[in-house]
Amino acid sequence: MCRVATDARRAAEYLHRTNGGRTDARLDMAMAEAMVETPRILAELARTIGATVTVTFGSAQSEVQVGDLYDWSGKEVLGWAGIESVPDFGGYPWLPVPTRGQHLMRTLELNVGARGIEVWFDCPARRLLLDGGRVIGVEVEREGKAIAVWVTGGVVLTCGGFEFDSQLLQDYLELPVIYGAGHYGNTGDGIRMAQQAGAALWHMWHIHGSYGFKFPEYPVSFRVKMGGVRRVDRKLAWILVDQNGRRFTNELHPAPQDTMWRPLQHLDAETGRFDRIPCWLLFDESGRQLGPIAKPITSDRAQYYQWSEDNLAEVRRGWIVHAPTLPELAVKTGLPADALLETVARWNAAVAAGHDDDFGRPPATMMPVAEPPFYAVPAWPVVSNTQGGPRHDEYQRVLGSDGHPIPGLYAAGELGSYFGHIYLLGGNLTECLAGGRIAGREAARYAGLWSPPGPVTFNERGSAWESHQPLVRHNRAR
């Protein structure tokens, strides 16, 4: 679902607070206007193929749909819009369950086909082609050969994030370990290409993530099952404890799939170690029976895993540690037994009292850890997607280190996302739709105003190139 709005000015107020003042007013307003425009855009795309669009605002939204919003000015104008159904489409065969996300992709796919737009698959982009500081094309690999694709308008980078590039994660995040839960093709290619052209970077530390599980059998991590937004009306089976056996956070933030990784990023200054990576997710027999503790999400059927409804299959796999008593569980997990017993006793007392004085967890979500046997599983920081990348302006033009637009280069979506402090659930989809349209429109303004270069030669490695004639220059300003 895309996050949308009824009033751009009020939405911009909320967005500015969401971004912690890290973006200027022009960007806030551009994103807010896009949120107002998105229902119309979706309706336009859906109309051509007979798809159905759902839009909800105000009282029509459920408590779940507004559960991730903070009590900040402008939240009352925010809503949701998405493709509810597509005729004769039951989901992609490589994905296990049809979702609104698949409906949106199918809608876009059919619109591209209807317009006769040529699409090349399996053609990785290797680098940008530059002339005098202007981006004039991109080198791609097609059927094992390096091909220069020249542009007369511009190159739009929509390459996603870098959650599956270990080097970039190490370079830009303080977290010593974090595991990706999205598409493992997101390896930062667009960031490297933009840097080649001299792009400035922003928001490189900001990720959209939570806590979850990582098992060696699967390259992707599994998010805990609590949904994208907070449900304060139902039980949550577990508590989290650090490596010292102490509880350290409210296990259910307002936007749990966005900010729940942050409490795990704690450096013990005395020992020099991150004592919550991993932490331990702890629950009892009643919690085990409450439902699955994980919700694996993947875009690759080969990596899909169906978590059992009662968690017993994962106990048998050895993913979930169990013991008849808490002291025995402490031995199996390596946690200090005295601290663990004290933590659980304090938590159970809070549950009985009906309020969490330590971290403010919503009362209706609290349940005791009291019925044996007891269970524990290592929990790690999990990233759904990164937000950092090349800095852009309100026209999606990539900015150089001097703050000026790099001619011929644009970026959209999660590659250098607008969101730079707290993510607004559904916001990335909106900025993908809106940012892509803006970038395409801006690039089209320059189409035909210069000519591509002449013959191109490649060196023996098949990657170097040289232009044999200069570009036709122009001085058209924005």
Side-chain angles (χ1 to χ4, degrees), residues 19-317:
N19 270 310
R22 296 170 186 265
T23 52
D24 65 33
R26 292 171 299 177
L27 276 162
D28 296 333
M29 183 55 70
M31 183 63 184
E33 289 174 345
M35 291 167 65
V36 172
E37 187 73 0
T38 293
R40 185 194 64 79
I41 294 172
L42 288 173
E44 184 180 291
L45 293 169
R47 190 179 304 114
T48 63
I49 62 170
T52 303
V53 177
T54 298
V55 182
T56 55
F57 286 107
S59 59
Q61 299 179 92
S62 68
E63 183 177 347
V64 175
Q65 289 177 309
V66 297
D68 68 315
L69 294 177
Y70 296 88
D71 191 20
W72 298 338
S73 177
K75 76 171 187 176
E76 66 278 359
V77 304
L78 303 182
W80 295 93
I83 305 294
E84 192 67 32
S85 63
V86 178
D88 303 317
F89 177 66
Y92 290 107
W94 58 87
L95 292 170
V97 181
T99 63
R100 288 193 183 98
Q102 293 183 50
H103 294 155
L104 175 60
M105 286 302 301
R106 182 61 174 165
T107 298
L108 296 172
E109 179 186 16
L110 291 174
N111 273 272
V112 168
R115 298 178 189 183
I117 300 171
E118 185 178 6
V119 179
W120 289 2
F121 295 101
D122 298 318
C123 297
R126 297 304 184 192
R127 64 194 185 98
L128 299 175
L129 304 180
L130 304 169
D131 182 81
R134 178 182 296 281
V135 175
I136 59 172
V138 62
E139 178 190 311
V140 302
E141 182 181 320
R142 192 181 195 197
E143 298 178 350
K145 297 180 181 179
I147 299 176
V149 178
W150 305 112
V151 300
T152 61
V155 171
V156 182
L157 297 173
T158 57
C159 311
F162 60 93
E163 55 267 27
F164 282 90
D165 187 281
S166 58
Q167 188 62 57
L168 289 177
L169 291 173
Q170 184 181 60
D171 288 346
Y172 291 107
L173 303 185
E174 183 182 1
L175 291 160
V177 178
I178 188 166
Y179 292 111
H183 193 283
Y184 45 81
N186 285 348
T187 54
D189 305 334
I191 294 172
R192 293 186 177 90
M193 284 189 282
Q195 285 182 300
Q196 176 200 343
L201 302 181
W202 66 354
H203 308 160
M204 293 301 290
W205 67 274
H206 187 206
I207 63 174
H208 174 50
S210 186
Y211 56 89
F213 315 119
K214 179 66 176 70
F215 307 112
E217 294 92 330
Y218 291 86
V220 297
S221 59
F222 300 158
R223 297 194 318 197
V224 289
K225 186 174 182 180
M226 60 172 111
V229 296
R230 179 165 65 169
R231 289 291 300 268
V232 298
D233 59 345
R234 64 184 182 188
K235 301 294 185 185
L236 189 70
W238 60 83
I239 60 171
L240 293 176
V241 299
D242 63 19
Q243 294 167 12
N244 301 310
R246 304 293 185 185
R247 187 164 169 258
F248 59 87
T249 188
N250 167 15
E251 293 81 4
L252 194 61
H253 288 187
Q257 297 297 357
D258 179 49
T259 58
M260 284 301 320
W261 64 272
R262 297 191 188 196
L264 277 65
Q265 184 176 273
H266 175 261
L267 178 68
D268 184 333
E270 295 295 330
T271 64
R273 66 188 176 93
F274 289 85
D275 57 0
R276 301 172 185 171
I277 302 178
C279 58
W280 287 88
L281 188 148
L282 186 70
F283 56 100
D284 69 357
E285 178 66 8
S286 295
R288 179 192 67 75
Q289 298 176 21
L290 191 64
I293 64 169
K295 184 180 181 180
I297 297 175
T298 180
S299 55
D300 184 345
R301 180 175 282 276
Q303 304 303 335
Y304 179 72
Y305 177 77
Q306 180 66 52
W307 197 278
S308 66
E309 286 297 316
D310 59 7
N311 302 291
L312 281 179
E314 293 69 36
V315 172
R316 289 191 289 268
R317 279 177 171 265

